[in-house]
Amino acid sequence: SATGEALLGYPREDLLGKNDYDFFPREEADFFTRKDRTVIESRTPLDIPREKIRTRLLGERVIHTKKIPILDDAGEPRYLLGISEDITERIKVEEALRESEQRYRNIVEDQTEFISRFRPDGTHVFVNEAYCRYFELQREEILGHRFRPAIYPEDRDRVQHFFESLTPDHPVDAIEHRVVMPDGSVRWQRWSDRAIFDEHGTLVEYQSVGRDITERKQVEDALQMSNRKLNLLSGITRHDIRNQLLILGSYLELSKASLDNPATMAEFVEKEKRVVQNISHQINFTKDYEDLGV
């Protein structure tokens, strides 16, 4: 055929009446001859899904060949029909796709974040190793199964509303929530989720990337508690200083009334000094817990 002429790089008149040894290296010609002999002896078609040949014009090619014996009335092989398809470009595309998929999986598996893809009903189609380790499950226990982490009861409605809020116009968002781990402990997670829709706007699946933020939450809670305590301490200190100032004001008034009585006045002055010392100590103390706050 014209395709055969193009593949082998010879015109039809140069091909007719020739055999494989006239066009291919001996090793390849031996291979084709063995296959032909198998078809003739078995009198049944033979499918050779993938074989490499070196052609005159196109170099090395990959072909898919089917050999069919043509039998005469006595059931003896008379001709051998060979149908070949050049699948070189398809093979290159498949290999490039496999390499791309392998690179993608290597990158995903190297991540410390939890990565998963799952359908709307919770059936997981992909999880990386970090996801499996975190939830203490084997990959085969998750893939193809409906798996949902145990959301902390108080967070369930919020998580449900979050996924319902993802639409074709707003497909990506992030959420922080708590989960109950297999050992019963409660952990905080942050997830970035993307809803994937088909061309009709129908939800197909979700892609999620998450990480554990429990330590960050604990630090934030500790800081908030510390700030509350510092604010309380500051309020108490201000209250104490005001009380001391009220006492000082009272002693000053009494001192003024005792100007004609030096002994009584001296007693009030000593008390005023003690009040001033108390206020000084309290102000110095505020510097200590100011540094603690920093």
Side-chain angles (χ1 to χ4, degrees):
S1 67
T3 304
E5 291 179 281
L7 181 63
L8 295 175
Y10 292 93
R12 184 174 309 188
E13 54 270 19
D14 290 346
L15 294 172
L16 296 177
K18 303 290 180 64
N19 59 42
D20 292 333
Y21 292 95
D22 295 316
F23 305 105
F24 299 110
R26 184 172 188 83
E27 182 179 347
E28 291 182 11
D30 287 343
F31 173 79
F32 296 141
T33 301
R34 288 195 301 273
K35 296 297 181 183
D36 292 346
R37 187 177 298 114
T38 299
V39 175
I40 292 171
E41 292 175 354
S42 65
R43 292 172 171 77
T44 56
L46 176 66
D47 192 55
I48 309 173
R50 190 169 167 178
E51 58 184 342
K52 290 183 179 181
I53 64 171
R54 279 166 284 180
T55 66
R56 180 186 179 197
L57 299 179
L58 302 178
E60 188 172 86
R61 310 296 291 175
V62 180
I63 60 172
H64 179 187
T65 302
K66 190 173 185 66
K67 302 278 189 174
I68 304 172
I70 307 299
L71 307 178
D72 59 18
D73 294 339
E76 295 296 324
R78 185 172 184 182
Y79 301 106
L80 189 61
L81 176 63
I83 304 173
S84 297
E85 177 188 5
D86 187 343
I87 59 172
T88 307
E89 299 306 319
R90 191 184 80 194
I91 294 299
K92 289 181 179 178
V93 170
E94 290 175 353
E95 290 176 350
L97 184 61
R98 279 195 297 271
E99 291 176 1
S100 177
E101 177 72 13
Q102 186 61 46
R103 286 195 297 270
Y104 167 77
R105 287 186 176 275
N106 289 341
I107 292 171
V108 168
E109 292 299 343
D110 288 342
Q111 297 300 311
T112 56
E113 285 82 2
F114 324 132
I115 302 176
S116 66
R117 291 174 71 100
F118 53 93
R119 301 191 184 105
D121 67 354
T123 300
H124 280 63
V125 296
F126 175 81
V127 289
N128 69 341
E129 185 61 29
Y131 189 100
C132 298
R133 285 197 306 270
Y134 185 80
F135 289 107
E136 300 179 12
L137 292 170
Q138 298 297 318
R139 200 184 301 260
E140 54 269 21
E141 295 180 89
I142 302 176
L143 293 183
H145 300 283
R146 295 181 181 180
F147 171 72
R148 287 189 175 94
I151 306 299
Y152 194 71
E154 294 179 8
D155 295 346
R156 288 173 186 168
D157 289 342
R158 187 163 56 86
V159 172
Q160 181 178 346
H161 293 325
F162 167 78
F163 280 103
E164 291 173 351
S165 71
L166 300 179
T167 65
D169 296 327
H170 176 68
V172 180
D173 208 343
I175 186 173
E176 295 180 359
H177 63 78
R178 289 163 290 183
V179 295
V180 181
M181 299 300 292
D183 62 1
S185 63
V186 177
R187 308 286 296 179
W188 275 95
Q189 298 175 340
R190 175 180 172 81
W191 290 94
S192 176
D193 291 277
R194 172 182 289 276
I196 301 172
F197 299 86
D198 63 16
E199 63 274 14
H200 304 296
T202 302
L203 178 63
V204 177
E205 63 182 28
Y206 296 99
Q207 177 173 290
S208 294
V209 179
R211 61 181 179 274
D212 188 295
I213 59 169
T214 305
E215 292 184 4
R216 194 199 80 191
K217 281 291 187 179
Q218 290 172 342
V219 170
E220 290 175 353
D221 291 344
L223 285 173
Q224 290 175 0
M225 179 63 73
S226 177
N227 285 331
R228 285 196 295 269
K229 290 180 177 179
L230 289 173
N231 289 335
L232 176 61
L233 191 59
S234 178
I236 293 172
T237 303
R238 284 196 305 271
H239 178 74
D240 289 344
I241 291 176
R242 286 197 192 98
N243 286 340
Q244 293 297 315
L245 289 173
L246 288 173
I247 295 171
L248 179 61
S250 298
Y251 283 146
L252 288 172
E253 290 296 326
L254 292 172
S255 296
K256 286 171 58 178
S258 305
L259 292 176
D260 296 334
N261 190 338
T264 302
M265 184 176 177
E267 180 183 347
F268 288 139
V269 169
E270 288 300 320
K271 292 180 178 180
E272 291 161 4
K273 287 181 180 179
R274 286 198 295 271
V275 171
V276 171
Q277 289 174 351
N278 289 339
I279 293 175
S280 177
H281 289 320
Q282 289 166 342
I283 290 174
N284 289 334
F285 180 58
T286 62
K287 181 63 171 65
D288 293 337
Y289 69 72
E290 177 184 299
D291 293 340
L292 176 64
V294 173

